[in-house]
Structures are given as structure tokens and as C-alpha cells.
Amino acid sequence: MWFPRLASDRALRRHPVEGPFALILAQGGAERIYCLNREAGRRGLHPGMSHTDARAFCPELRSRPADPQGDEWFLHALRRWATRYCPWVGIEEDQGLVLDVSGATHLFGGEEAMLSDMRQRLMRTGLEVRLGCADTRGGAWALAHHGEGIAPPGELLSALEALPVAALRLEAKTVTALQRLGLRRIGELEAAARAPLARRFGMELLRRLDCAMGRQPEPVTPLSDPPHYGVRMALPDPIGLQEDVMEGVSRLLDRLCDKLKRREEGARVLRLTLRRVDMEAQSVDLRLARPLRDPARILPLFARGVGEVEAGFGIDLLRLEALRVDRLPARQVAHVSSDRDDRMDDLISRLGTRIGLENIQRFQPLDSHIPERAFTLAPAAWSEPEGPWYSLRPRPLRLFPPEPVTPLGATPLRADTPRPEGRRTAPPPPDGERDRREHLLAASGAAPAGDRRDPAPRPTLGAREAGAGAAALPREVPTPGATRLPEEAPAPTLSAAPSAAPPGNATRGSLPTAGARESGTGAAVGTMEMTAPASARRPAEARAPAPSSDEEPPAPASHVPAPHSDVTRPTPQGGRPPRCFRWRRMRLTTARATGPERITPEWWLEDDNWRSGLRDYWMVETEEGRRLWLFYTPQAPGWFVQGEFP
Amino acid sequence: MTTDLFARFPPRRGRVHEACGPAAPAFAALCAAHTPGTVIWVRPAWGSDALNPLGLSAFLDPARLLLAQVRNQTDGLASMEEALRDGALPLVVTELTEPLDLTAGRRLQLAAQAGGSTGLCLIPEGMGSNAAETRWRCTPVYAPDDSTLQRWALIKNKSGTPEAWHVGWEAETRRLHVVSPPGERPGAAAPSG
């Protein structure tokens, strides 16, 4: 049984079209004709032709995109249909069926009658078919593809000898070669000496020939029906009460679950279809958190869906089908029952019927330094809890999309600038001051110039840490200690940093060391704790610099040239969180900042949120209590809040 | 004199409680840490802020947490009621965005009693329901030597008096401890209230 135009016949069955018609499939960057109807074939089109050529030949060509997957399903449906003739039906290539009708023909009144019955039925459905019937599979193929007909039993050779050699299912190359040798018909090939043929063309040719002639067996491989998990119940009288429907469902479930149990499978998706007297069908879908085949557990999950069904004049047909099944091997029942897990799965299924099963999720760890990509949410029904969860640094409890903060009045520079007055942060600064600040801001954002270098934008770890040191330096420095710095550490290096710190430096938590670099994937992370002295946080003496001098030692390492005076002191204020800022309409004052922790973007992934380049994260504890996770983007200067600590 | 926090703190089972204030998620996380078994956290899917499991791992194993993303508050309340009534999960946390009316609050309370689970609603300030057993206002407090200090004020209590505690959290040992009020703590700004 060969369907030469299966795909286009199928497409035309659904939407009939007059005139030439073709199905188009994109192959190798060009749209080519996949299958066409008889009318189009008559105009000189052929499969494999490009669509544009075909349109040039035949301007009135109608076309649709091809669907090879759907054609395959259609062929399988045809295979199932063909089992009405005989039980052994297999699929032959992608456009044919092979039926082993031995012993079945008399049921239809002989081979002739059977073939005409097939032809009639298929023509009625609009499918073009070529039928061939022979003692062997190869012979039937040859007859179906090259001149239809029936080879009477025992006279195979006479039926086949006039057919071209291509009817033997040979490669095109072999066929051409045979034709050049003058062997055009199967009869001629059969008459030729076998040994030279085998030497010239290999065993394949002779094998095909023997298969067609019946000297070598070629069995039909029937496909088995996939297990079908569907049960139905027709009722003599329509029912309308919810309890009645549930009772019916319970009986159907018993039958379905028996089937599932025999195959050690569990239902994942169930569909209950209720047909009303007026032939209106309503369905209730149930998705389960775990594969289940226990009727007692599944039945209550249907209650909600059944309650929403409109019964109308009554329901007279119930149909229950498992749309998806998963393996569920039999398990040893332990005397310590895992009742709790089962109850939780049931609860997830039940919540899933209301809010959608994929909306019940659990966290799964991912390997990434990017805070928002360090985890993923997976539907709980299709995942297992995973772990462990590592975080080397404290992470905020809540994350939100970065929100810009507005630094207020006192930038770090302002906080550092020695002032005779106690509190000069809130009022706007005089113009000269503002100019200078803006200038410095610009300097920190742009490429570092002269001695006002801001090392922060440099992407290397060493430079960053030095930058942090530099950032730390002017924060508390308007002290004699700071001016001593150049003599103490004229050529500061990273390794010199911890040793330069006096032992009394209790508030300086962890200095950046090589260990601060996390092994891994491109995120260089270091943390430096910078704790302002307690006295400096008191509002009354907040920005008075003098009291801090005895507690804060001179910052040890810096690439920044030594400060010579307060005015020209380089202040890479980009590196330090603003003293005072506004976030979500709240005015917050930084009391303690821990950081920075530099996280570089993952260059191998495109992420618009990380366009602004690397980020220096700070945990900022405010005097108001809120503990925020701020970051600074040195490559596009700006401060953002991304999370909140508890 | 204040009573022991731990007479109040893992809030009473079989009841629905409320928490408000900026540190309410931390309060919920601490409740979850003090509850064995799986915890479900119901939150609106449209909320822009997300729970960070890495931050959560300081309190409890994030694998113990189920997240239910709901479209609206009705779905959220229905899910919470369902989970409470079922009782398979010992703690149900719900983030609410709109005020609860008395019926909804009472229904939750009845469901919690039926299932024996604890419910915890994280509510915006001033949107509490009268049916709640307790209401906690949780605010982070700045302290010079403690990055976890919070003030938990019990502002509604059906079976006791309002009180307040200052608590800290030790991530290494996963232990909650009550600390002295900030008035006696040098350098800490005294919180209002």
C-alpha cells in the first residue's frame, strides 16, 4: 500500500483547494516543494524543486507549509485503520504500509475484492493509493510503486519481469549503473549471471532480488498498539448530581488504575470528559504532582473540577483518560510509612488544580556568582529538593530589580571634608563646594586623570582591592595619621596591606587577601569591612573628623598618591557608599558599610541588566535600621539597591 | 517586666498570626527555621521582589521551602486555606497586599484549627485582621556590633499582653537570642516606640 501523495492529500482533506497545490518545507535555507497534488505534477512541478521556481512555472500554485510530524502521525493512524484487514500491519518507509494478508483474504472474498475494498475506502477519504499484492514483500513493493496489480501465487517472476530494476528498492547509483549495463528489467537481471553481479555491485543487489523473488525471507514487522489508558462508562439514564458523577468517576478510576498497575505506570495527567444529553462535552483536567495509580488518592482531587461542571439536562457518558503516564515501579512498603510526603504531594496536586501546578515551585541552586542567577525556580511537581546551598558571603533575604538611589547632600567626600561645624550635611552646600564635588564626581566616573586616580574601574582584583583601600583611606583620614601614610607605605602592594595595619585595628574585619578571591567563574570577590567608629555615628558628632583619628589607623595600602592637603586630597568617592541617600522616599543615613564585594558580569551570557559592567556590592546598615545591599557600578557610576537583609 | 520570648515565639500552632514591618520576611524565615518539615510560602506572582534562597539559607535549608506563586489575593487566600486545612505542612506563610476582612480572617483561623498548621500572614502596615491570634511588628534596628538585631513588638495578642523584644540571630549556630534593650547599648540609636 503506497500513498504517493500522502502529505498533500492529508492537507487537502482538511482544506480542499482547487488547482495546483504544493506543500513547502524549508530545507537548507531554501523553501522546497515537499509534496504536491496531481494537478501540480501535471504542470511539470516535482518534489524538491524550489518554491520560487515552482511559482515561476505555475503562477497559480497554492501552497502551505508542510508538517512532516503530522504526516507521520497520520500514517500511524492509517496503520491502525489497516488492522481491519489483517492483524500484521507495519510501516513501510514514510509513505507506505505493508500488510501481511496471508490467510485473511478469504474474509473479504479474495485478493481482488480486498484490494478494491481498500481502494474504495481510501478514495472516499481522499487519499491516493497504489496497491500491490504479491507473495513477497519485495514483490508487493515493486508492484505498488511500478504498475499496480496482483501477482498470482507462484507466478511472481512473470508478474515482475517487465518492471524496471528500480522496483527492487535499489540505490539510484546502482540503478543507473545497471541501466548502463543494459539490464533494464527485472527479468533481464534475473537471467544474468549472479557471480559477476555480486562482484560488481555487492551483495545488496542480490539480496534485494532474492527478497523480491522469495528466495530470501523478509518478514513484516507489525507495530504494536501503544497501551491505551482510557475507560468510559455510558449510562442508561442521565445523571446530574455531583455525588453521582463522583461515584461514576470512582468506578472508572478503579478500572484505569488496574490497567496502570499491570504496566507499573502511574498517571500524571488525567482528563475526565463528561458528555451531556445534548452532546455537549465538558472536560476536567487533572495534573498530578507525582505519578499516581491509587484511586483513593486521585478521586478527591477531582472533586473541585467536577463541582464546576455544568450538568445541563444530565450527563450520560463519562470518559476517563490518562493523557500522560510515567513509570511508577512497585515499591517495597516500609513499616515506617512516608505518609507525610504523600499528603504533601496530594496537597500540591490540589493547590495545582486552583493556581496551576507549575506555579508551585521550589528553589534549586545554580552555579553562578550573579546573585539573581544563583538559583532557579522549578515546579515542585517535576523536581526534587536539591542542595546544598552555599554562600560565602552574607546574602540579602529579599532581592529586587536594582533601584537607583539618590545620594543626598553629603557624598563621601563631603563627609570626609573636615568642617568646623558639627553637622553640615543636610543643607545644600555653597556653590563653590558643589562645583568641586561635581568635578570630583566626574573625575571618579571618567578615566582617572593625574593624581586623582580612581582605581576602581580597573577590572583586576588587585586594582580593585587597592581601590577599596583607597576608598577607605580618605573616609577617616583628615588626621595626622593619614599624612604619614606616604612615608609608611610609599609603594603599597596588596601583600603589604595587612601587615601595614596596626594590630589594634579591631574594627577592620577582614582585609582583602588572596583567599578572598572565590574560586570559580569570573567573579572576583573580596570583602573589606570598614567600620566607622561608634562615636562617628552619633548624630551630634557625626561628621566631626577629629574623634575618629584615634580609633582609625591610617589606611595601609593605596595606589592613590598621598594626600598633601585637604583640598587636593584625591577622593575616589565612587568606591564608598553615600553617607546619606534617598531610597523609596526614605532618607537613610549610612552607619556601617561592609564591602565592597566585586562581582563581574558573566561575559558568556547576554544580560541586559549587567550592561553597566562590574558591580561593587556593599552591605549598608543604616542608622534607621534598614540593612540594604547596595552596589556601585564603577564603569557607569551610579548607586543602586538590589536587596535587603533581614 | 517582659516575659520570655520563647513562651510566645514559635507562634501558637493551629492559629493564624500576622507580621508586619520591614523585617517581617525575616520573622517568617525564623518561624520556618523553628518549624520542622516543609514550609509553603504563598506570594503574589507579580511582586517584583523575590525571596533569595541564598539569604534564606542563613535561617533554614531552602530545600524545605515550597513557593506558591498566585495571581491575586483570592487565589492566595484559597491556597492558604487549603494548605492550612490539610495540615500536611506545618507552616503556611502568605504575603498579603490587601486588607483581610473578618470573614476571610475567620475562615483562615478555622482552617488552621482544623488542620493544626500554623498560618502566618505578612501584611502591609496597618492592614491587620481582627481574627489574627497575634500580630508582630518587626523592624531592623541598627547596632554597632550586631548586624542582625531586630525589634519584635507583639502589638496584638489575643491571649496575653503586647510586649517587645530585641532579638539577634546567629547564622553559624542558627540560634535566636534575645538581647538587652538598646537603651543600655552604647552607640545604638534608640528606636521609637
Side-chain angles (χ1 to χ4, degrees), chain B residues 20-179:
Chain B
C20 62
F27 180 81
L30 282 165
C31 284
H34 281 82
T35 314
T38 308
V39 173
I40 188 165
W41 192 302
V42 184
R43 57 186 310 276
W46 43 265
S48 63
D49 51 346
L51 269 182
N52 183 12
L54 286 175
L56 208 61
S57 63
F59 301 99
L60 75 161
D61 181 9
R64 287 213 281 129
L65 194 78
L66 285 177
L67 210 61
Q69 314 251 23
V70 293
R71 281 185 302 273
N72 50 39
Q73 176 144 326
T74 318
D75 272 0
L77 289 177
S79 307
M80 186 185 189
E81 189 188 9
E82 185 84 55
L84 283 174
R85 195 175 292 284
D86 187 82
L89 308 176
L91 177 67
V92 185
V93 182
T94 309
E95 290 178 26
L96 298 182
T97 47
E98 297 158 28
L100 274 188
D101 59 2
L102 201 55
T103 318
R106 183 68 190 145
R107 268 182 72 164
L108 290 181
Q109 203 64 261
L110 290 174
Q113 280 179 25
S117 296
T118 313
L120 181 63
C121 299
L122 308 184
I123 55 169
E125 192 76 39
M127 283 194 189
S129 149
N130 265 340
E133 176 83 9
T134 57
R135 188 173 309 133
W136 301 73
R137 179 180 291 138
C138 312
T139 40
V141 176
Y142 173 70
D145 54 348
D146 188 358
S147 293
T148 61
L149 188 70
Q150 297 176 27
R151 180 172 187 274
W152 287 357
L154 190 53
I155 52 176
K156 173 179 193 290
N157 189 357
K158 276 195 174 177
S159 53
T161 50
E163 278 165 79
W165 295 268
H166 282 77
V167 295
W169 171 256
E170 227 174 286
E172 286 81 27
T173 53
R174 290 195 175 168
R175 213 168 63 81
L176 183 73
H177 50 87
V178 182
V179 298

Side-chain angles (χ1 to χ4, degrees), chain A residues 132-352:
Chain A
C133 179
D135 288 353
T136 61
R137 185 175 175 178
W141 194 92
L143 283 172
H145 284 251
H146 298 272
E148 296 179 82
I150 299 173
E155 296 172 33
L156 196 57
L157 185 57
S158 61
L160 293 186
E161 63 184 356
L163 299 183
V165 285
L168 287 176
R169 290 176 282 174
L170 299 174
E171 285 176 36
K173 205 172 66 180
T174 317
V175 172
T176 320
L178 282 171
Q179 281 173 346
R180 284 190 186 148
L181 290 179
L183 300 172
R184 292 171 194 284
R185 311 265 160 214
I186 293 181
E188 294 164 10
L189 189 65
E190 178 73 14
R194 291 173 65 88
L197 280 180
R199 206 160 49 233
R200 176 80 169 77
F201 297 104
M203 287 310 288
E204 180 65 14
L205 171 67
L206 293 181
R207 196 179 69 78
R208 290 293 189 191
L209 185 63
D210 287 347
C211 283
M213 292 304 157
R215 286 187 290 259
Q216 197 167 334
E218 189 182 12
V220 173
T221 313
L223 295 188
S224 62
D225 273 324
H228 178 62
Y229 296 112
V231 285
R232 56 191 260 165
M233 177 193 277
L235 304 168
D237 275 329
I239 55 172
L241 292 178
Q242 202 174 327
E243 295 87 64
D244 296 346
V245 175
M246 289 305 281
E247 176 60 33
V249 174
S250 132
R251 291 184 193 185
L252 288 179
L253 264 180
D254 287 343
R255 281 161 56 193
L256 184 69
C257 291
D258 272 353
K259 256 188 191 180
L260 290 168
K261 193 171 179 185
R262 246 175 287 145
R263 293 185 161 268
E264 293 208 338
E265 281 180 326
R268 213 48 213 265
V269 182
L270 289 165
R271 171 174 291 167
L272 172 69
T273 311
L274 304 173
R275 203 189 67 193
R276 300 200 310 217
V277 185
D278 51 1
M279 300 307 272
E280 187 85 6
Q282 299 181 44
S283 57
V284 179
D285 279 5
L286 177 66
R287 304 168 69 198
L288 299 168
R290 289 274 171 274
L292 275 187
R293 56 161 180 256
D294 182 1
R297 282 177 66 189
I298 302 178
L299 185 64
L301 303 177
F302 266 116
R304 180 186 155 78
V306 167
E308 288 174 355
V309 167
E310 195 67 47
F313 294 109
I315 291 160
D316 65 351
L317 184 82
L318 307 174
R319 185 162 190 281
L320 182 64
E321 190 183 4
L323 297 181
R324 225 182 101 189
V325 292
D326 276 354
R327 299 291 301 156
L328 180 61
R331 270 186 310 181
Q332 173 95 38
V333 178
H335 64 280
V336 190
S337 73
S338 59
D339 185 37
R340 200 164 192 98
D341 282 351
D342 287 353
R343 280 178 63 194
M344 193 176 85
D345 290 341
D346 287 356
L347 175 65
I348 292 175
S349 299
R350 212 158 48 234
L351 290 180

